[in-house]
Amino acid sequence: MSVDKDTVRRIAGLARLAVPAEKLEPLAGELNGIFNWVEMLNEVNVADVPAMTSVVAQKLKWRADVVNDGGVAEELMKNAPEHESTFFVVPKVVE
Amino acid sequence: MTDFTLASARDALKAKKISSLELTTALVKAVEEARPLNAYVTETPEKALEMARASDTRLAKGEGGALEGLPLAIKDLFCTKGVRTTAGSNILGNYVPPYESTVTQNLWDAGAVMLGKTNMDEFAMGSSNETSAHGPVFNPWMAKNSNSKLVPGGSSGGSSAAVAANLCLAATGTDTGGSIRQPAAVTGTVGLKPTYGRCSRWGIVAFASSLDQAGPMTKTVRDAAILLKSMASIDPKDSTSVDIPVPDYEKLLEGGIKGLKVGIPKEYRMDGAPPEIAALWDKGAEWLKAQGAEIMEISLPHTKYALPTYYIVAPAEASSNLARYDGVRFGHRAKGVRDITSLYEKSRAEGFGLEVQRRILIGTYVLSAGYYDAYYARAQKLRTLIARDFTEVYKKCDVILTPATPGPAFAVGDKSDDPVAMYLNDVFTVTVNLAGLPGLAVPAGLTANGLPLGLQLIGKAFDEATILRAGLAIEQAAAFNHKPANWWRAA
């Protein structure tokens, strides 16, 4: 499988990364270098192998469904690039 | 004063031969003088001195925790309450966390003193510390008869340089594919990646969540045992934190290695590897044998698939984890955009560096419709096979001995144009992350031109104690007591 300019444009869109037009071709080249290298995984027969879902043998833990943190909206606003009281400000979303 | 280890400083503090304030003051000065190394991105001298005074008060009363009054450096991937945390990225900008990571909270609860935050590859993606938004870190080590500046390894390159140059007693690191062990090996320091689930990931900026693990970077094996004891915990805030009590690793260092079964994996003999690496590896096996260990050849047949598997799994997880940086709630926001999609796309393009963008694109591609099975699902199956290789050999041996890196530190700029060449630095370390096992890098010798090389010990899950004991055996046999010449103070 080989990645072309249009594929890079499509993935960049999915990844929400603005990629300038002149960078699409070089990026496709770099990505192909990496994908050609990982092609070697196709040598291995994985037909009966289960996919790894957890690297340690432990069941995911349960916890009580209780509120144990929060009420810190004003503190969180200190890192906001733009806010009004405890609301984040973004460009208009709904016409 | 600055060449104390954690153990020797702890004992000197307890015996009242020094105070934490004296020790901390000396290290604060060393940190300032070493700015040309670029090991720290944020220095916190006032905080350090305040913590040291509080420690001295506790010590005077005969109180205090396991790390009371001991000054540490913290990788800039750990969120520290009220202290800027950037993960080496412009996208976090001047982010100041309103909370403390579990690992660092454990350290402060044990009485440790914070000197500052160390430089690192952006989002821990790199093996040379060159992808950092704060610029590269320089290795305190230089080759004989050379002035060329070398990389300190990565991604925990600021931490490895700080430990090697005596700019802290010890440091924290994180390791997703080798980011503790590789920088430790190329700076002549000790680095331990614990078993996945041993140290809480809560409050550590996420890269690849199924692989990330925090661990100690220290001057000695004993110090690694001491620091791990305080870093590790069972944490209800991290659902993958494992419910196994934390043992006293320092106590478990005693006892020697008589009868220890050490596996030597034949797949780690790489074509084209420098002969010095193979020679050091053989020497390491001899050292262990001389102390009563039994050496045996073993096979880990899927080793060569580990790096390509990693470069699918890790970017896939990273592309999901890094989706949170959107310019809305924190971090960098692009100026002058009119709609929400451009806000996301421009903020991310401006905030992330090239290697991070490359990995986000790889991850997005391998998870996208039509490619998921061919890449991601296949890689997760390979991961099962790689982990099974270890399960099989651990029926016969207790630990595995390998080289830590394929070579010594390389020059700044040498490998930054070829991503795959850079990725190969982690060829000996990455299998351990994929299998969730503990791995320890120990300095074992110097190359002909005077650069440090390390050996790696891989253990069974949650058996850090055994690799630390074997590591101590190597440390004692190697008697590695070299230190880099101090060129940075003059700079």
Side-chain angles (χ1 to χ4, degrees), chain B residues 215-284:
Chain B
M217 302 182 71
T218 58
K219 299 178 188 179
T220 67
V221 172
R222 178 171 300 274
D223 282 6
I226 293 170
L227 193 52
L228 177 61
K229 169 86 166 74
S230 290
M231 290 175 75
S233 61
I234 301 167
D235 184 11
K237 289 176 181 165
D238 175 0
S239 63
T240 61
S241 155
V242 173
D243 289 328
I244 296 176
V246 181
D248 186 341
Y249 297 108
E250 192 183 8
K251 229 176 232 164
L252 294 169
L253 283 174
E254 313 305 326
I257 55 160
K258 208 168 170 54
L260 187 76
K261 294 193 175 90
V262 180
I264 308 287
K266 60 179 184 193
E267 290 79 7
Y268 283 57
R269 295 226 178 258
M270 286 209 323
D271 296 334
E276 283 177 314
I277 299 281
L280 187 72
W281 190 13
D282 292 341
K283 211 190 252 177

Side-chain angles (χ1 to χ4, degrees), chain A residues 30 43 50 52 61 79 89, chain B residues 96 241 305 333 358 380 384:
Chain A
E30 277 175 29
E43 299 165 19
M52 180 177 282
K61 288 186 250 182
N79 279 302
V89 176
Chain B
V96 178
S241 155
Y305 303 113
R333 174 183 284 203
R358 188 185 285 141
Q380 290 290 56
T384 299

Side-chain angles (χ1 to χ4, degrees), chain B residues 255-333:
Chain B
I257 55 160
K258 208 168 170 54
L260 187 76
K261 294 193 175 90
V262 180
I264 308 287
K266 60 179 184 193
E267 290 79 7
Y268 283 57
R269 295 226 178 258
M270 286 209 323
D271 296 334
E276 283 177 314
I277 299 281
L280 187 72
W281 190 13
D282 292 341
K283 211 190 252 177
E286 281 165 31
W287 286 332
L288 294 176
K289 197 176 168 192
Q291 295 179 61
E294 187 187 326
I295 309 295
M296 59 179 72
E297 189 184 84
I298 55 165
S299 173
L300 298 164
H302 295 91
T303 298
K304 73 165 175 170
Y305 303 113
L307 265 181
T309 298
Y310 176 84
Y311 276 95
I312 292 173
V313 174
E317 295 186 16
S319 73
S320 307
N321 274 327
L322 271 53
R324 73 191 66 173
Y325 304 98
D326 56 8
V328 173
R329 292 153 301 153
F330 50 81
H332 175 76
R333 174 183 284 203

Side-chain angles (χ1 to χ4, degrees), chain B residues 48-71:
Chain B
L49 297 174
E50 182 194 314
M51 290 172 102
R53 283 192 196 99
S55 283
D56 281 334
T57 308
R58 283 191 290 271
L59 286 163
K61 288 189 225 157
E63 296 169 4
L67 300 174
E68 198 64 54
L70 302 176

Side-chain angles (χ1 to χ4, degrees), chain B residues 398-417:
Chain B
D398 307 311
V399 299
I400 297 167
L401 178 72
T402 77
T405 58
F410 47 92
V412 174
D414 251 16
K415 298 190 184 184
S416 39
D417 294 337

Side-chain angles (χ1 to χ4, degrees), chain A residues 33-70:
Chain A
I34 293 162
F35 287 124
N36 289 339
W37 173 62
V38 303
E39 283 295 285
M40 74 163 98
L41 299 185
N42 293 327
E43 299 165 19
V44 187
N45 179 4
V46 292
D48 298 319
V49 181
M52 180 177 282
T53 49
S54 173
V55 73
V56 284
Q58 172 167 282
K59 274 194 188 146
L60 211 51
K61 288 186 250 182
W62 290 70
R63 59 172 166 77
D65 185 15
V66 292
V67 177
N68 54 23
D69 201 356

Side-chain angles (χ1 to χ4, degrees), chain B residues 175-238:
Chain B
D175 190 316
T176 304
S179 281
I180 285 176
R181 293 158 288 157
Q182 184 259 7
V186 301
T187 55
T189 56
V190 175
L192 172 61
K193 183 205 93 76
T195 312
Y196 184 81
R198 179 68 290 175
C199 291
S200 170
R201 290 182 297 108
W202 195 81
I204 300 173
V205 177
F207 163 13
S209 303
S210 79
L211 302 159
D212 296 344
Q213 185 59 204
M217 302 182 71
T218 58
K219 299 178 188 179
T220 67
V221 172
R222 178 171 300 274
D223 282 6
I226 293 170
L227 193 52
L228 177 61
K229 169 86 166 74
S230 290
M231 290 175 75
S233 61
I234 301 167
D235 184 11
K237 289 176 181 165
D238 175 0

